[in-house]
Amino acid sequence: MDKKVLIVDDSKFWRMVLQSILEKLGVKQIIVAEDGTKGIEIALKELPDIIITDYNMPGISGLQMCLYLRSIPAFKNAGIAVLTGSDDVINEFWAEHSGADKFISKLLSKEVLEKELQRFLSGDYSSSKSKEMFYATSIYDVLEQKMRKEILNREILSLIQFARDELYVIQQLKNLLEFFSRFTGLTFLLLSPVEGRIYNFGLPLSKMMSKEKLLSSLEKPLEPSNWSYFGNFGSEFNVDGLETVVIKYQESEIGLIAYANPSDKWSLNKVLNEANESISLLFNTMNIFRELKVASTVDGLTGLFNKKELLRFLEETHNLAKINKTIYYVAMFDVDNFKKVNDTYGHIVGDEVLKGVATVLKEETTGKGIAGRYGGEEFCLIITKVSNTDEVVELIEKILDRVRNTQFPHGKCTVSCGVVSSEGYESPTEVLKAADDLLYISKKTGKDKASYMFLPKNNVLVSQVEHQEQT
């Protein structure tokens, strides 16, 4: 047998018994240590593939030695068996979390013990001789690195209390990684069924290419219903030197960290490896908060904001507009003849119509404001990022045109709309009511059109109703 085996036991008798059994089983490379401290020192020097240790030893116990060695990547796949005597009592929790692969009783007969060891030795165990996986030379290095790992993980886990503020947590995580390496670019991907989020720091990729590049590094990526992007994105289609670390939680891929051209790749990989479980827990917690937030703010059918979130955003927008002396616009939409669609084709088809209209609203509003479902077949846009009324009219007319040219499950469909600017209104409720009144005008005067009311620069209130023939 080519595997190198280390025996650690404070009993000379048991060292001799175990060595005799191993020689009989064909093990040619056998190393012996008299206690846990020497066992660790020899393991660091010899890198055995399999370690057989007594549990109850003076100084460092077999479990402590196991924990120390498992903290070193070189021994991640090594085999560790712990021998227990009649007076050894191992709590199930500590046994499970010690990192040992097998517990064998010393009370077994020599024949049974030999069979147990033979089965254990046949396992696919080996230590890594790679320099990148090994960075300890003494027990003191092990203890110091264990302390550093605990500090690192404690720092990351402390961010869980801020999980509601995802951007803040990601920024802190970025700052932490920059203590160990510099990058030309760093990106974080978080994945949950309701939303995928990409936080970009310096990578010149476009949003679409960032998404495709990151997802290509995953084996079974989720397909979130929505995507959000944070940071500055470029227009490049590729980036040199990009490396990725997948973050898993209970075997599910929930995120990814990507970085380009690290100044200290070895230190960075070491940190990401040691902190992987803590980062996994942090990412999972942020995903949970994101899902809870989406559930409380998003309409379940259409994926748009719900009425509660719409009104909250409207009030906030109105207050900011008064302080900054700016203008925003509200557009109310209603699906024409929707009751007839439901009565004729059923609610399943009706739901598809609502989802189709919602898709148009969301796609056209992105970067210009927010879209929400106000209730039933009514939708609302709060438009905040346009420079003049011409852009507003262009946006609304494009939405109407896209809807009337969309093929829905039952055929064609149209919407009516009312649009108003916030000028001249004291409260957000007044703005909303004015838009709703204009929607009523559109419905009563032919449908499939928009009615507008804006306050021009000369402060004379005028109303404009544009009519388009139904198609």
Side-chain angles (χ1 to χ4, degrees):
M1 184 179 289
D2 295 332
K3 293 178 181 177
K4 185 184 293 186
V5 181
L6 169 64
I7 298 171
V8 185
D9 202 306
D10 61 322
S11 166
K12 183 177 180 180
F13 168 77
W14 274 102
R15 292 198 300 271
M16 292 175 63
V17 169
L18 293 171
Q19 187 166 356
S20 173
I21 292 175
L22 294 179
E23 288 174 350
K24 181 180 178 181
L25 293 174
V27 179
K28 295 181 175 58
Q29 300 182 74
I30 302 173
I31 320 161
V32 178
E34 299 175 358
D35 56 50
T37 301
K38 291 181 179 178
I40 292 175
E41 291 177 348
I42 291 175
L44 296 174
K45 180 180 179 181
E46 298 289 341
L47 296 178
D49 301 300
I50 291 176
I51 300 157
I52 301 171
T53 177
D54 185 26
Y55 164 62
N56 192 1
M57 295 184 292
I60 295 176
S61 73
L63 288 187
Q64 288 175 312
M65 188 180 75
C66 184
L67 285 168
Y68 291 150
L69 294 179
R70 286 298 193 208
S71 69
I72 301 174
F75 295 104
K76 180 181 179 181
N77 297 315
I80 303 179
V82 178
L83 300 179
T84 62
S86 59
D87 297 329
D88 300 338
V89 179
I90 302 178
N91 180 284
E92 289 185 7
F93 176 84
W94 299 115
E96 182 180 346
H97 292 81
S98 66
D101 298 293
K102 189 174 184 62
F103 286 81
I104 304 175
S105 173
K106 286 185 174 181
L107 301 180
L108 298 173
S109 66
K110 187 176 180 181
E111 291 75 16
V112 177
L113 177 59
E114 183 178 315
K115 290 180 180 179
E116 288 289 327
L117 288 173
Q118 185 176 24
R119 279 195 291 267
F120 180 64
L121 291 171
S122 65
D124 186 21
Y125 300 118
S126 64
S127 63
S128 173
K129 279 60 174 181
S130 168
K131 181 181 178 182
E132 289 192 359
M133 297 292 286
F134 188 74
Y135 46 86
T137 57
S138 73
I139 186 172
Y140 304 106
D141 287 336
V142 174
L143 294 173
E144 181 178 346
Q145 289 166 16
K146 187 172 177 60
M147 177 193 69
R148 289 184 178 184
K149 181 177 179 179
E150 289 175 353
I151 293 173
L152 174 66
N153 283 281
R154 186 168 64 244
E155 185 72 17
I156 292 171
L157 292 176
S158 71
L159 295 174
I160 288 179
Q161 63 184 308
F162 307 111
R164 291 179 182 274
D165 189 350
E166 193 168 283
L167 181 58
Y168 172 79
V169 172
I170 293 296
Q171 182 67 58
Q172 295 304 307
L173 194 55
K174 168 183 173 290
N175 294 343
L176 177 63
L177 294 179
E178 286 178 337
F179 278 115
F180 302 96
S181 181
R182 296 185 302 277
F183 323 89
T184 57
L186 179 65
T187 297
F188 298 87
L189 165 69
L190 285 93
L191 280 176
S192 74
V194 297
E195 187 179 20
R197 292 93 69 205
I198 296 178
Y199 294 85
N200 184 42
F201 301 95
L203 289 183
L205 296 173
S206 65
K207 290 180 179 178
M208 185 58 65
M209 289 308 303
S210 294
K211 175 182 171 182
E212 291 183 5
K213 192 77 172 177
L214 298 179
L215 289 179
S216 68
S217 299
L218 303 176
E219 293 181 1
K220 297 180 180 179
L222 293 171
E223 289 295 337
S225 53
N226 294 290
W227 283 88
S228 296
Y229 302 86
F230 305 87
N232 297 318
F233 292 82
S235 57
E236 299 295 322
F237 291 94
N238 205 348
V239 62
D240 295 328
L242 185 67
E243 299 190 42
T244 59
V245 175
V246 177
I247 306 300
K248 293 185 177 181
Y249 184 80
Q250 296 180 348
E251 301 306 315
S252 297
E253 297 171 320
I254 63 167
L256 184 142
I257 299 174
Y259 51 89
N261 304 311
S263 60
D264 191 341
K265 179 181 176 181
W266 187 84
S267 294
L268 179 62
N269 286 340
K270 176 171 171 288
V271 166
L272 290 175
N273 178 68
E274 292 182 339
N276 195 277
E277 287 188 14
S278 296
I279 295 174
S280 168
L281 183 58
L282 178 63
F283 275 29
N284 184 63
T285 305
M286 288 193 289
N287 278 338
I288 290 172
F289 274 110
R290 179 63 60 152
E291 289 170 13
L292 291 173
K293 181 179 180 181
V294 169
S296 66
T297 61
V298 173
D299 175 62
L301 176 65
T302 64
L304 301 182
F305 288 111
N306 58 26
K307 183 177 181 179
K308 176 183 175 182
E309 185 64 14
L310 267 173
L311 295 179
R312 185 203 65 77
F313 185 80
L314 177 62
E315 183 175 358
E316 181 181 288
T317 300
H318 190 85
N319 292 336
L320 287 174
K322 289 179 68 174
I323 293 172
N324 299 325
K325 296 181 180 180
T326 56
I327 303 169
Y328 66 92
Y329 303 86
V330 171
M332 292 292 293
F333 290 84
D334 186 273
V335 180
D336 296 328
N337 306 312
F338 185 70
K339 185 177 183 303
K340 184 177 179 181
V341 173
N342 269 341
D343 292 344
T344 305
Y345 302 99
H347 290 280
I348 294 179
V349 171
D351 287 349
E352 291 302 314
V353 170
L354 295 178
K355 287 192 283 187
V357 172
T359 298
V360 173
L361 293 175
K362 183 174 183 178
E363 290 177 353
E364 295 299 334
T365 311
T366 299
K368 299 174 183 177
I370 71 165
R373 186 183 180 191
Y374 191 74
E377 65 269 29
E378 278 195 310
F379 299 88
C380 178
L381 303 187
I382 302 174
I383 306 165
T384 56
K385 297 180 181 179
V386 293
S387 56
N388 53 58
T389 57
D390 290 340
E391 285 190 29
V392 177
V393 173
E394 181 181 355
L395 169 64
I396 301 302
E397 295 301 330
K398 186 176 180 181
I399 290 172
L400 266 62
D401 189 60
R402 274 195 62 181
V403 172
R404 70 171 65 97
N405 287 294
T406 296
Q407 185 64 41
F408 293 92
H410 72 293
K412 295 294 185 177
C413 183
T414 62
V415 292
S416 298
C417 180
V419 191
V420 65
S421 69
S422 62
E423 287 181 292
Y425 296 99
E426 291 298 318
S427 72
T429 302
E430 291 177 353
V431 181
L432 194 64
K433 185 178 182 305
D436 200 48
D437 289 343
L438 289 172
L439 169 61
Y440 181 78
I441 292 174
S442 295
K443 299 287 283 186
K444 287 296 182 181
T445 57
K447 301 178 182 178
D448 186 24
K449 65 179 181 179
S451 299
Y452 305 87
M453 184 175 287
F454 303 135
L455 191 64
K457 294 180 180 179
N458 60 7
N459 288 333
V460 178
L461 193 63
V462 298
S463 175
Q464 175 187 9
V465 178
E466 295 198 356
H467 176 72
Q468 298 176 356
E469 295 296 329
Q470 279 187 280
T471 60

